[in-house]
Amino acid sequence: MNSVTVNTLKQYVEQEVELKGWLYNRRGSGKLLFLQFRDGTGTVQVVLSKKDVPEEVFEAAKRIGIESSIVVRGKVSKDERSALGVELHGTDLRVIQEVHDYPIQITEDVPNIDKLLDLRHLWVRSKRPHAILRVRSEVVQAIRDFYYQRGFVLYDAPIFTPASCEGVSTLFELPYFEETAYLTQSGQLYGETGAMAFGKVVVFGPTFRAEKSKTRRHLTEFWMVEPEVAFLELDGIMDLAEEQIRYVVQRALENCKEELKELERDTSVLEQISKPFPRIHYEEAQSVLQKLKDDFSRSSDPELQKLSGDILKNGLGDDLGAADETAIGLHYKQCVCIHHYPREVKAFYMKADPTGKYAMGVDVIAPEGVGEIVGGGQREDSLEVLEAQIKKHNIPPETVSWYVDLRKYGSVPHGGFGMGVERCVQWITGCTHVREAIPFPRTIYRLNP
RNA sequence: UCCUCGGUAGCUCAAUGGUAGAGCAUCCGACUGUUAAUCGGCAGGUUGCUGGUUCGAGUCCAGCCCGAGGAGCCA
């Protein structure tokens, strides 16, 4: 008897097989039972006829509740009525554990996300989280393949870090023997050391932000991929980000068809990814946004009118707001690179453009309300300018002396970016909450399970 | 930190200031082709907490607790 998995069942038509897994749902009648069986690789319908199995097996199958663990045997047969194309005509069923009070209903879904997140350790068995987390797995593998194929060296940055470079307010602090440590909020500065050592490196790991954000787009713990490359300037950084996003989305479209179908994801926007990303200078973005603000204010759609009111709220010389990103996404229906943000609003390590007014940074805005999925740019490579910036941002010089060393010993133009894995998965799957894009989300009010 | 909304059965939600109710799930039963099966039945409640107004509060008022969405900040 072959012990097989649901995803390979089609290879065993007309053969006797054994499946090990759990009861997902059951419909039935007095003499015929339809068991929806899942084993992690998929679900299949097991048809159990009273005349084909011993009396006690049929009675057990009638009695057991959702998520009872079972081993079933039977003959695989083609059936057009099944979504899988095959079903199993059961000849035997063995109950490993009988369950009667599984706390999640098959009909339960996203509206009561807080309840379901309390049960996340069980909810991951359900179809929707299952599909989203499989897409995440594919996205992560695609990211690793992309950089490996291009000769990047995987370069892990530490999670415990000493005093912050970008202000302590958004860092998690913890005792570290006789001193204080912080959980990393970016591996970038360490990535730069790797770029000078290996040329092309990629940092990939969890990052932590103690921001008190309560939105669909924020987690306190999330995974970030951060490539960093020596001799790469702003245009090249945008090329890299664009290629990487395109590769990841195409891998998901190719290898996660079933999952995206299960999620009822309209993939038409994702398919636009093959076109070049518009690249817009901050000043141009301002005029585009002004035009969108005017257009939306004349719209008959109340949503757009409301959005119009929030566009360009921050004013010239300031960062773009959430409404601005939403409007850009609506307008282009594609990922958009916005570069040359005002230097004042960006971090100390960003390289200034020749005017001194703008930073040679770039954000990639994903459409459909997900917002910024990538932030990065060219780093300041001049020792004098960097030291001036450190002073200007009131950063204690001793905390960044190792970083400044990189500008003393063979400084070159270089740069990179960071992409949030969960936001990328959120966009690809179309899930409303970024919390659904990671097995166990951490937010300001959630540490369990 | 600020703004808005919410908290009633396991879940989703009703209930002019006047006997707390329905659907789904659980449990019991019927059904030989069901696709979130269907049908019948039983059971299920400290209405988030504390206080107040009232003959009477799930409902009105005050404070608190918890949650959601958003702003800011960010990926």
Side-chain angles (χ1 to χ4, degrees), chain A residues 13 19 25 51 106 130 224 228 269 281 283 303 308 406 422:
Chain A
V13 173
L19 291 169
N25 196 12
K51 66 177 176 11
I106 202 158
H130 205 263
M224 190 151 68
E228 193 71 31
V269 179
H281 190 287
E283 282 180 2
E303 292 277 319
S308 168
L406 301 177
E422 289 75 14

Side-chain angles (χ1 to χ4, degrees), chain A residues 69-124:
Chain A
S69 40
I70 52 178
V71 179
V72 291
R73 292 181 170 193
K75 193 167 89 175
V76 182
S77 64
K78 277 192 179 166
D79 197 304
E80 294 306 315
R81 290 165 290 192
S82 149
L84 196 64
V86 293
E87 60 182 21
L88 193 75
H89 286 275
T91 53
D92 192 23
L93 179 146
R94 185 159 58 87
V95 180
I96 297 172
Q97 189 187 31
E98 188 169 326
V99 171
H100 284 284
D101 53 355
Y102 188 67
I104 299 176
Q105 290 177 41
I106 202 158
T107 54
E108 275 182 60
D109 217 333
V110 181
N112 47 345
I113 187 158
D114 193 48
K115 295 280 185 208
L116 289 170
L117 284 174
D118 283 341
L119 295 169
R120 185 62 165 175
H121 51 294
L122 302 174
W123 188 30
V124 289

Side-chain angles (χ1 to χ4, degrees), chain A residues 150-155 194-202 228-230:
Chain A
R150 281 160 185 76
F152 283 66
V153 172
L154 181 66
Y155 191 74
M196 300 307 139
F198 296 93
K200 298 191 283 190
V201 297
V202 59
E228 193 71 31
V229 184

